[in-house]
Amino acid sequence: ANQEFEDTFCLSFSASYDYFGEHRDVDLKPGGADISVTFDTRQEYVDLYCQWLLETSIERHFKLLAQGFEKVVDSALWSFLTAEEAHLIICCEVGLEASELRQLAHYEGYDKDDPYIQDFWKILESFDIDHLKK
């Protein structure tokens, strides 16, 4: 089964990619270009390839993106947000409506009919979508 697998797929523990029109190869493990992928080692190849594709190959680009993001958003509070919360802050919900927020609001120590709560909602409901995002 190993030889048939090798003959069929002709894979080694390396990956090929295009770099601005230039063909490049990278070993997925030391000496990977000289190690054939067999039926018995196929799972290891898939694991190493996925790690390279989804992590290693983009690591430099992601670090640069993260550094740029940190320059624009210099706050330790981002580390406390989930990915979904960060997405909502950055992108906002397209259909976000102050009236919907008002219906979902819960008050602790306040009543919804308190004058300052009513004034808050009047102000918030006067905002356009760009102001609501802020």
Side-chain angles (χ1 to χ4, degrees), residues 10-78:
C10 302
L11 293 172
S12 64
F13 277 87
S14 64
S16 299
Y17 64 99
D18 179 75
Y19 184 77
F20 297 106
E22 178 185 330
H23 178 82
R24 291 190 177 181
D25 295 307
V26 62
D27 286 347
L28 300 176
K29 67 181 194 175
D34 299 320
I35 303 170
S36 294
V37 178
T38 66
F39 183 80
D40 294 335
T41 61
R42 72 190 189 279
Q43 186 62 55
E44 179 187 10
Y45 171 80
V46 169
D47 293 342
L48 290 171
Y49 183 80
C50 288
Q51 181 182 9
W52 173 79
L53 184 66
L54 300 174
E55 295 175 23
T56 310
S57 71
I58 62 168
E59 184 176 23
R60 183 176 67 86
H61 305 289
F62 183 77
K63 282 183 182 178
L64 293 172
L65 177 69
Q67 288 171 353
F69 184 81
E70 287 172 3
K71 286 182 181 180
V72 174
V73 182
D74 185 22
S75 173
L77 294 176
W78 282 100

Side-chain angles (χ1 to χ4, degrees), residues 57-123:
S57 71
I58 62 168
E59 184 176 23
R60 183 176 67 86
H61 305 289
F62 183 77
K63 282 183 182 178
L64 293 172
L65 177 69
Q67 288 171 353
F69 184 81
E70 287 172 3
K71 286 182 181 180
V72 174
V73 182
D74 185 22
S75 173
L77 294 176
W78 282 100
S79 63
F80 294 109
L81 298 177
T82 65
E84 292 82 11
E85 291 167 336
H87 180 268
L88 285 174
I89 289 170
I90 293 169
C91 301
C92 194
E93 284 292 321
V94 176
L96 184 63
E97 296 285 337
S99 59
E100 292 176 25
L101 292 174
R102 187 177 197 167
Q103 291 173 355
L104 298 172
H106 297 279
Y107 305 97
E108 292 182 9
Y110 299 95
D111 186 77
K112 68 177 183 165
D113 296 320
D114 288 341
Y116 37 85
I117 297 295
Q118 291 297 315
D119 290 341
F120 168 78
W121 287 114
K122 284 178 189 174
I123 292 168

